[in-house]
Amino acid sequence: EIVAVLNDSFSLTKQLSDKKVLISAGPTREQIDPVRFFTNHSSGKMGFSLAEAAAELGAEVTLVAGPVQLATPRGVKRIDVITAEQMYQAMLSNYDNQDLVIMSAAVADYRPVKTFEQKLKKQAGTLQIEFERTTDILLELGQQKKQQYLVGFAAETTDVEYYGKEKLTKKQLDAIVINDVSQEGVGFQGDTNEVLVMTKAGKEKKLALASKKVIAEQLIRQFIDDIGVE
Amino acid sequence: EIVAVLNDSFSLTKQLSDKKVLISAGPTREQIDPVRFFTNHSSGKMGFSLAEAAAELGAEVTLVAGPVQLATPRGVKRIDVITAEQMYQAMLSNYDNQDLVIMSAAVADYRPVKTFEQKLKKQAGTLQIEFERTTDILLELGQQKKQQYLVGFAAETTDVEYYGKEKLTKKQLDAIVINDVSQEGVGFQGDTNEVLVMTKAGKEKKLALASKKVIAEQLIRQFIDDIGVE
């Protein structure tokens, strides 16, 4: 069995050696003032694991990372961003020549309409903050898609499969990876994940609870299969 | 000079051995829904350095820590919290028998009035979120003060000294440590700090730019002087 695993591993080595892969990871931060901001729980671990797995298979990997404290995987080109708008610009300007694009970042979908230059002083009573939608990066990438195999992530707490399928179609994705973040051991902060992958072609595959590194390798293998890399 | 430094260091050793010190550190997080939250840039490094310095001097240190990824200093009792309300409860329930209490956490002063149990779906148009004030922990501690020497932190971007002095009086503090977070190398995220300390008795002392560890040691020494520890 060890031999089989090794063979399997060897047969994958450098399978992506002529391929370009673009991956986003982590949260974004949307500032209210110089001190306060709005963000989410994404640790970036899933995206960094995907970048590592793709690089190990020989791909030329560009990783657009929101504010996380993770080491850059070996051989990966990293672009650091803070806000949703910066992530959008970084993804768009690197999109054209990619073979595989995975949007695993948890991009803030709302940002404060106004960012204050000075720290807001406390006041009596309640405070109303108006938020506006950020650019839907995945939707934009779907609309501008040419040769790219485009993968989105969905983190849902209810009707996980329904919302995932809807997103796959609406954003013109080739595949979607669905987390049920309400489950123990799944999603944002931990080191493990359990996902359901659905493809445009109608394939559905559940990847059982495992480390994010193992899940990342399984996902990259599946995308390779789908792209039809020899 | 090395001998002088060593002597100085030895003379301080265990100066706080019969003292109890309570310190808060880090940011707090206020949830909007299971995925999104509101927070600030505090890294917790200043508070953790203060806890370390006090413990090295022999104090019995309790550290109430918001969500940060820092190792607990040796000999320190750590209580982890997430929200401003949890931090308030933890500080209050440990307040009574303390000799020195340092509130270095950057507590969210506003939280969403409503926390949603399920992830909010995106909608067209803007989104209004109503925020309410959290409990002002430092003000409460000031009002309930007996034997405690109470220290607050102020992170300001404008009129730093003015707002600092105002806070010292209004919150009934014994000392306030003022950061100008708009300056390079000062405040939240970095490893260095430069602060102005003002005491109730009218002393003002500027501590020049140095590592947070060095600043922490200088601050603890100053508080020891003020408390009059032999």
Side-chain angles (χ1 to χ4, degrees), chain B residues 152-197:
Chain B
F153 269 70
E156 300 292 345
T157 53
T158 53
D159 300 323
V160 171
E161 205 167 331
Y162 171 81
Y163 285 123
K165 203 174 282 185
E166 188 188 58
K167 193 168 178 177
L168 178 73
T169 309
K170 190 175 151 199
K171 311 252 169 127
Q172 305 181 51
L173 308 180
D174 296 288
I176 190 158
V177 183
I178 310 170
N179 296 317
D180 179 350
V181 291
S182 66
Q183 278 185 66
E184 191 74 28
V186 175
F188 284 123
Q189 291 277 43
D191 290 322
T192 58
N193 213 354
E194 178 184 292
V195 301
L196 174 68
V197 191

Side-chain angles (χ1 to χ4, degrees), chain A residues 59-227:
Chain A
E60 186 187 330
V61 181
T62 304
L63 176 63
V64 176
V68 293
Q69 301 198 331
L70 293 174
T72 309
R74 197 173 157 167
V76 167
K77 181 188 166 198
R78 175 175 180 167
I79 302 171
D80 283 316
V81 299
I82 305 285
T83 66
E85 181 60 26
Q86 288 167 356
M87 186 169 277
Y88 172 53
Q89 296 299 338
M91 290 300 286
L92 204 64
S93 62
N94 286 282
Y95 190 54
D96 278 357
N97 303 312
Q98 301 295 333
D99 298 290
L100 171 60
V101 176
I102 308 176
M103 191 71 201
S104 75
V107 182
D109 32 29
Y110 286 96
R111 71 175 152 234
V113 172
K114 184 162 165 45
T115 299
F116 295 88
E117 302 244 329
Q118 303 299 343
K119 186 183 168 191
L120 286 175
K121 302 304 293 178
K122 285 180 278 192
Q123 290 154 356
T126 62
L127 175 71
Q128 294 281 344
I129 299 184
E130 188 176 18
F131 292 82
E132 65 190 2
R133 290 283 298 274
T134 57
T135 304
D136 188 330
I137 303 177
L138 199 50
L139 185 71
E140 288 289 326
L141 296 182
Q143 285 170 355
Q144 299 188 31
K145 195 169 66 167
K146 286 170 192 140
Q147 80 289 344
Q148 299 93 339
Y149 186 92
L150 181 61
V151 181
F153 269 69
E156 301 291 345
T157 52
T158 52
D159 300 323
V160 172
E161 205 167 331
Y162 171 81
Y163 285 122
K165 203 174 282 184
E166 188 187 58
K167 193 168 178 178
L168 178 73
T169 310
K170 190 175 151 198
K171 311 252 169 128
Q172 304 181 52
L173 308 179
D174 296 289
I176 190 157
V177 183
I178 309 170
N179 296 317
D180 179 351
V181 290
S182 66
Q183 278 185 66
E184 191 73 29
V186 175
F188 284 123
Q189 292 277 44
D191 290 322
T192 58
N193 213 354
E194 178 183 292
V195 302
L196 175 68
V197 192
M198 299 169 74
T199 71
K200 187 180 166 184
K203 275 197 283 187
E204 285 197 23
K205 194 169 179 182
K206 191 163 186 174
L207 304 182
L209 193 66
S211 74
K212 286 184 176 175
K213 189 164 165 55
V214 167
I215 295 281
E217 287 163 1
Q218 292 175 329
L219 286 173
I220 296 288
R221 281 170 199 233
Q222 160 142 8
F223 303 145
I224 289 173
D225 278 352
D226 265 22
I227 296 172

Side-chain angles (χ1 to χ4, degrees), chain B residues 1 22 26 55 57 59 63 76 78 81 84 97-98 112 115 120 122 129 133 136 140 146 165 167 190 199-200 208 223:
Chain B
E1 196 176 298
L22 176 64
L57 292 172
L63 175 63
V76 168
R78 175 175 180 167
V81 299
N97 303 312
Q98 302 296 333
T115 298
L120 286 176
K122 285 180 277 191
I129 299 185
R133 291 282 298 274
D136 187 330
E140 289 289 325
K146 287 172 191 136
K165 203 174 282 185
K167 193 168 178 177
T199 71
K200 188 180 164 183
F223 303 144

Side-chain angles (χ1 to χ4, degrees), chain A residues 31-32 36-39 41 109-110 118-119 121 123 126-127 129-131 133 155-158, chain B residues 31-32 36-39 41 109-110 118-119 121 123 126-127 129-131 133 155-158:
Chain A
Q31 293 290 144
I32 292 169
R36 303 170 175 100
F37 60 88
F38 180 65
T39 188
H41 285 116
D109 32 29
Y110 286 96
Q118 303 299 343
K119 186 183 168 191
K121 302 304 293 178
Q123 290 154 356
T126 62
L127 175 71
I129 299 184
E130 188 176 18
F131 292 82
R133 290 283 298 274
E156 301 291 345
T157 52
T158 52
Chain B
Q31 293 290 143
I32 293 169
R36 302 170 175 102
F37 60 88
F38 179 64
T39 189
H41 284 118
D109 33 28
Y110 286 95
Q118 303 299 342
K119 185 183 169 192
K121 303 304 292 178
Q123 291 155 356
T126 62
L127 176 70
I129 299 185
E130 188 175 20
F131 292 81
R133 291 282 298 274
E156 300 292 345
T157 53
T158 53

